């Protein structure tokens, strides 16, 4: 019988970690059976999963400010369910990691990045709890920045850490050559949440738009939409900014962009940047996580400090030069195909799930 894997997410709303899980589960098919716990009850990413998968979604709500009580309750569930593997995702699932002490199941913890409360520094209480809960677990990290934090700040044993870069089906994002438009399209694909700092992008665009024809397209939805719409109006660019909302398939939008922009305060190895690279786009981005290392070397001058003026300057230079955009886009496309295709990532994850890598 195929191994049964229990995956615990703070939320199963669609995001990078959830999209990666769906891609892997769909790819491996009947090779694994799955249980998915969304501690907030949001199962929106379920729509990405193949209906033929053997998978169930038990309801396991978590009580606020009750870490010990939650951990004891979760441990009883682990004993009842007896999964072959427990996979916890990010800080929001740490109580399930604590519940597995001492181990009921083999444990992988995946750390994809941090929310707004840890965008600038690690919180001491969380550092100590990660050190306690994860010391005997295999910890999977998609970025070199996170790998360094796990070693130097959380002080986890090097032997327990696995660096597995994110990957995407690069061929699916291949786009035809882009025309040299008089009004270039700057685009981003992101959840409209505070840590994405899309207000920085709108202000940067407004600086550029004061002297150059261009349009801005934001693909994604979230709690910041109303505030961002109002900001575009107050900056005088509402007629040049399009809020496209959530899209199940963003590939056609990448194909319609001339420049990809990332304005986040915190990222690690964002899938959106990989998708933009695979689509042959130049990227103007804030210098967060592994973004600089992900991009082709020639794109490095367009990775900026967390500053709207610097981001506006990078966008302006790219919008001004179609030949530069084409050259950088081709370099990014080649790097994505060579380094970040989904096949290599999937091979690493299969070995982690079936135990052959640990």
């Amino acid at each position: 019988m195929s191994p049964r894997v229990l995956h615990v997410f703070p939320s199963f709303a669609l995001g990078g970690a959830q999209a990666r899980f769906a891609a892997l589960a769909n790819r491996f098919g009947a090779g694994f059976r799955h249980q998915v716990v969304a501690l907030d009850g949001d199962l929106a990413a379920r729509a990405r999963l193949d209906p033929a998968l053997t998978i169930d979604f038990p309801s396991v709500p978590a009580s606020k400010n009750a870490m010990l009580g939650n951990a004891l309750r979760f441990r009883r569930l682990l004993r009842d369910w007896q999964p072959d593997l427990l996979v916890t995702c990010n800080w929001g699932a740490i109580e399930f990691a604590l519940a597995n002490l001492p181990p009921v199941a083999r444990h992988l913890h995946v750390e994809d990045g941090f929310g707004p409360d840890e965008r600038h520094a690690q919180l001491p209480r969380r550092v100590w709890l990660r050190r306690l809960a994860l010391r005997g677990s295999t910890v999977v990290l998609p970025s070199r920045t996170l790998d360094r934090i796990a070693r130097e700040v959380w002080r986890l044993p090097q032997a327990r850490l696995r660096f597995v870069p994110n990957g995407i089906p690069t061929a699916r994002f291949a786009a035809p050559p882009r025309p040299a438009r008089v009004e270039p399209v700057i685009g981003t694909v992101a959840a409209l949440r505070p840590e994405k700092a899309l207000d920085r992008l709108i202000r940067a665009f407004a600086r550029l738009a004061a002297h150059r024809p261009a349009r801005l397209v934001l693909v994604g939805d979230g709690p910041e939409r109303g505030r961002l719409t109002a900001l575009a109006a107050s900056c005088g660019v509402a007629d040049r900014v399009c809020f496209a909302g959530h899209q199940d398939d963003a590939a056609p939008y990448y194909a319609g962009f001339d420049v990809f922009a990332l304005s986040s305060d915190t990222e690690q190895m964002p899938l959106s940047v990989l998708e933009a690279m695979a689509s042959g786009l130049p990227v103007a981005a804030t210098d967060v996580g592994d973004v600089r290392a992900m991009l082709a070397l020639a794109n490095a001058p367009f990775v900026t400090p967390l500053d709207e003026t610097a981001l506006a300057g990078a966008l302006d230079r790219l919008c001004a030069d179609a030949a530069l955009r084409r050259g950088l886009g081709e370099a990014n496309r080649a790097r994505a195909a060579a380094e970040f295709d989904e096949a290599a990532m999937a091979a690493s994850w299969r070995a982690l799930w079936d135990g052959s890598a640990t």
Side-chain angles (χ1 to χ4, degrees), residues 81-261:
W81 292 340
Q82 290 293 312
D84 296 296
L85 173 66
L86 167 66
V87 181
T88 52
C89 185
N90 291 326
W91 168 256
I94 201 72
E95 290 168 348
F96 256 95
L98 290 168
N100 198 48
L101 297 176
V104 174
R106 186 167 61 88
H107 179 217
L108 299 181
H109 180 76
V110 190
E111 195 73 45
D112 279 290
F114 311 113
D117 47 358
E118 289 188 286
R119 74 178 76 176
H120 300 304
Q122 295 282 286
L123 300 175
R125 174 175 171 270
R126 295 189 181 185
V127 169
W128 281 101
L129 281 169
R130 286 181 174 112
R131 196 175 296 170
L132 168 68
L134 304 178
R135 193 161 190 82
S137 303
T138 298
V139 179
V140 186
L141 307 154
S143 83
R144 292 297 186 190
T145 301
L146 283 168
D147 182 74
R148 178 187 58 77
I149 290 170
R151 286 183 287 106
E152 297 178 4
V153 180
W154 304 343
R155 298 182 189 172
L156 298 178
Q158 179 67 54
R160 306 302 303 176
L161 305 181
R162 303 287 185 273
F163 171 59
V164 182
N166 287 329
I168 61 168
T170 53
R172 188 164 74 80
F173 291 91
R178 293 167 171 86
R181 284 185 272 245
V182 173
E183 190 177 57
V185 178
I186 300 165
T188 196
V189 178
L192 308 189
R193 299 196 304 260
E195 65 269 25
K196 301 301 181 180
L198 293 164
D199 51 348
R200 175 182 294 130
L201 176 57
I202 290 171
R203 291 190 180 99
F205 175 74
R207 286 173 177 265
L208 175 151
H211 65 272
R212 184 179 300 286
R215 290 184 292 129
L216 175 63
V217 177
L218 295 90
V219 178
D221 216 334
E224 291 276 281
R225 180 161 182 164
R227 189 177 73 83
L228 294 170
T229 302
L231 176 63
S234 69
C235 289
V237 292
D239 59 334
R240 297 166 71 177
V241 176
C242 170
F243 289 87
H246 170 74
Q247 301 295 326
D248 288 334
D249 181 10
Y253 284 85
Y254 287 108
F257 298 161
D258 296 292
V259 177
F260 183 80

Side-chain angles (χ1 to χ4, degrees), residues 19 26 55 59 111 126 133 171 184 202-203 254 266 289 314 322 328 339:
N26 291 343
I55 186 165
S59 176
E111 195 73 45
R126 295 189 181 185
I202 290 171
R203 291 190 180 99
Y254 287 108
T266 178
L328 293 180
E339 301 291 336

